[in-house]
Amino acid sequence: MSQFQVVEVSSEVILAAARGDVRAHEQIYITYRRVVYNLIRRLIARPAVADEILQDVFVEILRSIGSYAGSGSFGGWVRALTINKCLMHLRSPWHRSLLWIDAQEPEDAANALDAIAVQGEAVASAGQDLERAMATLPALTRAVVWLHDVEGYTHGEIANLLKRTPSFSKSQLSRAHARLRNLLDSPDGSVPCIPVSTSC
Amino acid sequence: MHPRIDQLLSLRDGEPVDAATREHAESCAACAASLHRLTQRRHELQNLPPFDAPEIDYSLIRARAAESAPAAMNGYQWTAVAAAMAAAVIAGFMAVDRDHGAPSVQVRSPAIASGVGESPEPALAQLVERSRELDQLLQNMPRRPEVQRVSLASTVDRLEQRVQWLDMQLSSAPDVAADEALSRRMWRERVNLMDSLVAVRYAESLPRSAFAGEPPG
């Protein structure tokens, strides 16, 4: 379950924040800081970048809180803003020049999975856990897994966020789970039952 | 034949799967175990320990928010400003090279030539598709130069921030999803902003000779 469903501030605080009340702003920051940062770190592996995005998110909340219509949950609004900040970073040419986040192209996907497999051997042999295995996934793939399996987004919603198709989201989720299975469930090299789908 | 992992995930998530796949997964011990493992994996992901947030001086955030006060412009004004900024940046490039003796300028970016802006009322699907194309185009552009003009970096930053705000509204605001006219207006603004962004990035990526034309004989 998404942590954003657990954390909540009162509507009075939100209204006060929208009017520019500094104490209400700070209360929102204190309430959401942890869940926002946790979501950022799940989508953005580098702590330094995550710290910057954490600041950006709260700056954006302060700037845009007047546009929050109040029709949905405030936590959902904060979560959407956080995800957009992270995806904006992942889509940026600066990030793309450093990492292979786009596994849509078959060759890129193959290269990416090969790279993960090499890393995966080390991870498995070192007895690392799910967290480390997740960290070996390409950023976009990891984002799909987190948004779908933890935050509860549908493939259609993820496709909308990523400006891709639902089948892209599905294929990323499948590849990710196949990889996690290989990393975590078969360290002894046994043949898994599940064939990996190569179709996008 | 064992189901593929995407079929098992569909089963796990309650999505439609064909009857044969469902029957197999129920009768095959290996696949039932795989399905259970996928369910367990999701549970493990949901229960990973949270990261500790860094200690950030809240006054820094407040100061930054105060520096960049919320924009009071509406979508049309934003579009106009974006187009003006893009035109100004491109014109600036051209002027600089003209000052260096270049006689003619023949530049037309692929984004500017897009055509969406010429249609009075494009369909929502067209706007979404065009927006996606522009995203793709932007992603495929060359890496930005390490040394950038301040005005250009600022223009790109403002355009990206506005696109980001639109993305948030389009993906999360229930009012937008329910109102097709509003949704279309926002997608149209996004397309125009992306057009401008691509135009600026395109101009930035061109070698100076592209603005100067052929050197005199």
Side-chain angles (χ1 to χ4, degrees):
Chain A
M1 185 174 70
S2 170
Q3 294 175 42
F4 284 87
Q5 292 174 7
V6 179
V7 177
E8 195 59 88
V9 291
S10 69
S11 55
E12 288 79 14
V13 170
I14 296 167
L15 284 173
R19 287 195 302 266
D21 186 317
V22 175
R23 283 187 183 175
H25 289 165
E26 192 156 4
Q27 189 169 340
I28 289 171
Y29 171 71
I30 291 166
T31 306
Y32 282 99
R33 184 180 66 147
R34 194 173 185 201
V35 290
V36 166
Y37 185 70
N38 193 51
L39 176 56
I40 295 170
R41 282 297 306 273
R42 296 302 175 194
L43 304 186
I44 307 288
R46 298 181 179 194
V49 177
D51 291 1
E52 279 182 27
I53 293 177
L54 177 67
Q55 286 195 43
D56 290 346
V57 167
F58 280 100
V59 168
E60 189 65 39
I61 288 172
L62 295 197
R63 290 177 57 199
S64 309
I65 195 163
S67 69
Y68 169 61
S71 48
S73 84
F74 183 69
W77 183 78
V78 172
R79 181 175 70 168
L81 197 150
T82 306
I83 291 169
N84 271 292
K85 282 282 181 196
C86 294
L87 294 182
M88 193 79 180
H89 171 77
L90 295 180
R91 282 198 296 256
S92 71
W94 296 273
H95 181 266
R96 285 177 56 80
S97 67
L98 295 174
L99 299 169
W100 20 256
I101 63 168
D102 189 346
Q104 194 174 34
E105 295 296 324
E107 282 187 13
D108 288 351
N111 293 338
L113 290 176
D114 287 347
I116 295 164
V118 171
Q119 291 179 333
E121 288 173 9
V123 169
S125 63
Q128 300 293 338
D129 60 3
L130 176 59
E131 194 126 37
R132 297 293 297 274
M134 281 287 285
T136 67
L137 298 176
L140 203 57
T141 309
R142 191 171 60 246
V144 169
V145 173
W146 195 262
L147 293 178
H148 186 273
D149 281 5
V150 180
E151 297 298 332
Y153 279 68
T154 65
H155 289 299
E157 289 167 336
I158 294 171
N160 193 28
L161 285 168
L162 299 178
K163 310 288 181 291
R164 304 292 182 101
T165 61
S167 54
F168 171 81
S169 174
K170 282 186 180 181
S171 72
Q172 292 301 303
L173 188 71
S174 300
R175 286 175 179 172
H177 275 289
R179 181 55 50 191
L180 291 176
R181 178 191 164 94
N182 289 340
L183 292 176
L184 297 166
D185 297 351
S186 306
D188 58 353
S190 61
V191 180
C193 164
I194 303 170
V196 180
S197 170
T198 55
S199 63
C200 289
Chain B
M1 185 178 172
H2 293 303
R4 299 188 311 271
I5 192 166
D6 57 304
Q7 292 171 311
L8 288 175
L9 284 166
S10 291
L11 268 175
R12 182 195 73 169
D13 298 331
E15 293 165 0
V17 288
D18 60 83
T21 301
R22 184 180 297 276
E23 283 171 18
H24 176 93
E26 286 170 356
S27 59
C28 170
C31 289
S34 295
L35 184 56
H36 174 71
R37 195 72 192 97
L38 289 171
T39 306
Q40 196 179 2
R41 180 82 72 227
R42 180 174 59 188
H43 181 73
E44 289 166 0
L45 283 167
Q46 290 170 346
N47 287 286
L48 281 174
F51 289 96
D52 289 328
E55 292 296 330
I56 297 174
D57 184 355
Y58 182 70
S59 61
L60 290 177
I61 292 172
R62 214 169 56 205
R64 277 188 56 197
E67 280 172 17
S68 52
M73 290 185 284
N74 65 29
Y76 293 112
Q77 288 168 321
W78 259 105
T79 300
V81 169
M85 286 193 298
V89 168
I90 294 170
F93 267 89
M94 295 191 298
V96 166
D97 285 286
R98 232 192 253 105
D99 289 346
H100 286 79
S104 64
V105 176
Q106 295 289 329
V107 175
R108 184 169 170 81
S109 83
I112 286 173
S114 66
V116 165
E118 294 158 17
S119 169
E121 273 302 325
L124 182 60
Q126 283 179 293
L127 291 168
V128 173
E129 181 55 30
R130 180 60 191 156
S131 195
R132 186 171 287 142
E133 286 171 8
L134 288 166
D135 275 326
Q136 197 68 44
L137 189 60
L138 194 65
Q139 287 176 0
N140 290 333
M141 293 188 88
R143 188 179 179 179
R144 298 192 72 193
E146 290 184 3
V147 179
Q148 298 164 22
R149 293 159 198 256
V150 173
S151 61
L152 194 132
S154 167
T155 301
V156 169
D157 188 49
R158 290 188 65 183
L159 289 169
E160 285 183 342
Q161 281 188 15
R162 182 63 183 174
V163 169
Q164 188 178 1
W165 185 86
L166 280 171
D167 282 349
M168 188 186 73
Q169 296 296 317
L170 286 165
S171 61
S172 63
D175 296 349
V176 176
D179 185 342
E180 190 181 332
L182 177 61
S183 181
R184 189 166 53 233
R185 198 160 67 234
M186 295 184 86
W187 274 108
R188 189 182 181 107
E189 186 192 347
R190 190 181 195 282
V191 167
N192 288 333
L193 287 167
M194 288 297 296
D195 254 341
S196 299
L197 191 54
V198 170
V200 173
R201 292 285 315 283
Y202 182 76
E204 182 186 53
S205 69
L206 287 174
R208 281 173 173 255
S209 57
F211 294 93
E214 290 296 319

